[in-house]
């Protein structure tokens, strides 16, 4: 059929452009909603609340327990300490970009906790253990944390609390004949065993991976999660399965501090959240972003690798500050992960 000038004018005036506009609006709304499981607009300010399929899996696993009550694979590339994030200059766009980076990392961590087959790695070979010096230390719980721990019902008696410094300070030869040089990586942690509320407190942790050089391979036993699990099981014995809390105190890593400030809408070094602070579970983007910090990734691997002993757990994350009495900062930033059951298992 020939297209005449008059029929062409009728086609243009008869609704083509209105129809095109409607189609464009539909496309925009579809891609700006959760129709495709991509994202949906957050009700909190201008941030985008991302959707991730592992949230659905989490819904299926969750037993519906409440969040914290008050009076969070590449087996060769995880570390609880070193951070590759950089915020650059301080402005909203940089902080938003960093937030999205942590969120992406947290989604991968959440996936790992839900799906990973536990390895329950236990390093027993002498050549692996010899790379580390393990030193008990008279110290324990920082005074600023005592009120928070008391509110949680955690004992702080020196008879119960054990502080251990593990340092990778020895050059050893592995069973494969490879020489592993000392990196001077150090893990300083406090262990509080209990029948129902066991706690690990990260005080001062610097992964050997931070000091890795291309010509100096790391010993197999070099990750925070593996070293701390060795310490924890040695101290807690049969009560190791009752681990419930992992607290990282005095968070000094600037990208993580600024993430906490960004979540709470505070300016630099102005975060003021005395205990009980604020709690985020893994159904919230903020909780997942906090899980994506180096501190949360270390917790992820400890949980995922040892779910045979701990049960399948997902953490809720509490952020709170304490007053600084021994630091140049006015406030000390703390991140507390509470391990919560998702499916039946040891408790």
């Amino acid at each position: 059929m020939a297209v005449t000038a008059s029929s062409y004018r009728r086609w243009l005036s008869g609704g083509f452009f209105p129809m095109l506009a409607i189609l464009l609006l539909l496309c925009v709304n579809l891609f700006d909603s959760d129709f495709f499981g991509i994202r949906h607009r957050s009700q909190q300010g201008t941030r985008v609340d991302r959707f991730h399929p592992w949230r659905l899996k989490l819904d299926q696993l969750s037993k519906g327990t409440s969040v914290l009550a008050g009076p969070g694979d590449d087996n060769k590339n995880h570390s609880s300490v070193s951070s590759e994030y950089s915020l650059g200059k301080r402005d909203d766009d940089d902080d938003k970009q960093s937030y999205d980076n942590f969120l992406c990392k947290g989604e991968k961590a959440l996936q790992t906790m839900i799906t990973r087959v536990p390895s329950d790695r236990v390093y027993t070979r002498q050549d692996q253990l010899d790379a580390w010096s393990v030193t008990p230390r008279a110290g324990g719980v920082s005074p600023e944390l005592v009120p928070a721990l008391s509110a949680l019902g955690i004992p702080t008696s020196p008879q119960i609390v054990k502080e251990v410094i593990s340092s990778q300070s020895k050059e050893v030869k592995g069973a494969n004949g490879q020489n592993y040089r000392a990196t001077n990586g150090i893990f300083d942690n406090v262990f509080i065993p209990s029948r129902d509320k066991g706690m690990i407190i990260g005080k001062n942790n610097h992964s050997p991976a931070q000091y890795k050089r291309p010509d100096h391979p790391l010993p197999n036993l070099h990750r925070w999660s593996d070293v701390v699990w060795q310490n924890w099981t040695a101290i807690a014995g049969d009560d190791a399965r009752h681990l419930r809390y992992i607290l990282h105190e005095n968070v000094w890593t600037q990208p993580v501090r600024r993430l906490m400030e960004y979540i709470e809408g505070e300016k630099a070094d102005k975060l003021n959240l005395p205990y009980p602070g604020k709690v985020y579970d893994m159904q919230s983007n903020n909780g997942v972003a906090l899980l994506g910090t180096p501190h949360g990734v270390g917790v992820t691997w400890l949980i995922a690798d040892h779910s045979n002993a701990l049960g399948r757990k997902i953490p809720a994350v509490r952020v709170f500050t304490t007053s600084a009495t021994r630091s140049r900062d006015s406030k000390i930033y703390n991140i507390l992960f509470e391990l919560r059951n998702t499916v039946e298992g040891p408790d």
Side-chain angles (χ1 to χ4, degrees):
M1 181 179 68
V3 179
T4 64
S6 60
S7 63
Y8 182 69
R9 283 194 296 270
R10 285 195 303 272
W11 181 56
L12 289 178
S13 61
F16 171 73
F17 283 112
M19 190 60 124
L20 179 61
I22 291 172
L23 288 172
L24 288 173
L25 286 173
L26 283 173
C27 289
V28 169
N29 284 329
L30 286 175
F31 281 96
D32 200 33
S33 69
D34 59 359
F35 184 83
F36 291 113
I38 299 174
R39 65 179 190 176
H40 63 275
R41 289 195 181 280
S42 171
Q43 300 302 314
Q44 301 177 358
T46 60
R47 299 174 191 169
V48 173
D49 201 18
R50 293 158 55 103
F51 174 86
H52 196 274
W54 297 108
R55 307 283 180 88
L56 294 179
K57 185 67 174 177
L58 180 59
D59 285 338
Q60 296 168 6
L61 289 176
S62 176
K63 295 171 62 178
T65 53
S66 61
V67 296
L68 279 159
D73 156 42
D74 185 347
N75 190 35
K76 298 180 181 178
N77 293 305
H78 68 274
S79 166
S80 70
V81 182
S82 58
S83 174
E84 298 178 356
Y85 300 106
S86 176
L87 289 181
K89 62 182 180 180
R90 177 81 183 197
D91 61 44
D92 290 342
D93 289 340
D94 288 332
D95 284 354
K96 179 62 171 67
Q97 182 179 5
S98 179
Y99 180 92
D100 289 342
N101 288 340
F102 281 121
L103 184 58
C104 181
K105 192 95 168 181
E107 287 169 343
K108 294 178 182 178
L110 186 59
Q111 174 184 346
T112 297
M113 281 189 290
I114 293 171
T115 63
R116 180 169 171 76
V117 176
S119 68
D120 277 345
R121 286 194 306 274
V122 177
Y123 291 91
T124 57
R125 288 214 320 258
Q126 197 62 41
D127 64 297
Q128 296 167 338
L129 299 176
D130 280 349
W132 290 86
S133 296
V134 179
T135 308
R137 178 181 179 183
V141 178
S142 301
E144 299 88 354
L145 291 176
V146 171
L149 268 59
S150 297
L152 290 168
I154 305 296
T156 57
S157 166
Q159 288 75 31
I160 298 176
V161 176
K162 308 295 182 185
E163 182 171 355
V164 175
I165 298 177
S166 298
S167 57
Q168 204 268 300
S169 56
K170 302 176 183 178
E171 180 173 346
V172 297
K173 177 174 287 190
N176 58 0
Q178 172 71 56
N179 285 321
Y180 297 97
R181 296 190 180 184
T183 63
N184 294 316
I186 185 171
F187 296 135
D188 180 2
N189 298 273
V190 172
F191 303 90
I192 309 177
S194 171
R195 287 286 178 183
D196 59 345
K197 292 183 178 181
M199 174 178 272
I200 296 171
I201 302 175
K203 296 190 72 172
N204 184 27
N205 291 285
H206 300 270
S207 170
Q210 289 180 286
Y211 310 105
K212 181 179 179 180
R213 292 172 50 182
D215 56 335
H216 295 169
L218 296 175
N220 289 336
L221 180 58
H222 68 266
R223 304 176 183 91
W224 178 88
S225 58
D226 291 331
V227 173
V228 165
W229 183 255
Q230 297 262 137
N231 297 153
W232 173 247
T233 53
I235 291 172
D238 292 340
D239 288 332
R241 67 191 183 98
H242 296 300
L243 177 64
R244 184 174 177 185
Y245 299 104
I246 301 175
L247 170 63
H248 284 281
E249 68 163 300
N250 194 12
V251 174
W252 53 265
T253 309
Q254 283 303 313
V256 180
R257 290 171 66 99
R258 284 170 51 178
L259 171 71
M260 297 163 72
E261 293 161 0
Y262 178 74
I263 287 173
E264 301 304 331
E266 296 291 347
K267 295 181 179 179
D269 301 318
K270 297 296 183 182
L271 186 65
N272 185 25
L273 283 175
Y275 188 87
K278 285 191 178 180
V279 179
Y280 301 96
D281 63 19
M282 291 301 111
Q283 299 292 359
S284 71
N285 279 355
N286 290 339
V288 176
L290 289 164
L291 185 65
T293 63
H295 308 80
V297 170
V299 171
T300 294
W301 286 108
L302 191 147
I303 294 172
D305 279 340
H306 304 290
S307 60
N308 280 342
L310 298 173
R312 188 70 72 176
K313 305 286 187 181
I314 295 293
V317 189
R318 184 190 298 274
V319 174
F320 69 100
T321 60
T322 48
S323 298
T325 59
R326 299 172 293 110
S327 171
R328 62 185 179 183
D329 297 323
S330 59
K331 296 290 180 182
I332 292 176
Y333 292 23
N334 308 285
I335 305 178
L336 174 65
F337 298 86
E338 180 185 352
L339 314 190
R340 297 161 51 195
N341 284 336
T342 58
V343 294
E344 293 299 332
D347 190 21

